């Protein structure tokens, strides 16, 4: 009975980790798209130059 519970617990942990990793990949892709769009549509600064869209 204990080995069966351990296998079921391991399967549950791996399923949860797989689902969480898939969500993290989607979040990473969305952040990458927003980052690239931020560089493409950044406002023009003084003198016609393109300025930074972030404040670092």
């Amino acid at each position: 009975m204990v080995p069966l519970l351990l296998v079921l617990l391991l399967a549950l942990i791996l399923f949860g980790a797989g689902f969480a990793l898939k969500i993290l990949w989607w979040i990473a892709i969305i952040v990458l798209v927003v980052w690239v769009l931020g560089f493409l549509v950044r406002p023009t600064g003084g003198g016609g130059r393109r300025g930074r869209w972030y404040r670092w």
Side-chain angles (χ1 to χ4, degrees):
M1 185 70 169
V2 173
L4 179 63
L5 288 175
L6 288 175
V7 168
L8 288 175
L9 182 65
L10 182 63
L12 183 64
I13 289 171
L14 290 177
F15 174 76
F19 183 73
L21 287 176
K22 188 172 183 177
I23 293 295
L24 287 175
W25 272 111
W26 280 110
I27 291 172
I29 290 170
I30 290 169
V31 168
L32 179 66
V33 167
V34 169
W35 182 68
V36 169
L37 285 176
F39 277 107
L40 293 177
V41 296
R42 62 184 184 235
T44 57
R49 292 185 330 158
R50 288 201 174 260
R52 294 183 303 193
W53 65 280
Y54 52 87
R55 294 208 174 260
W56 295 349

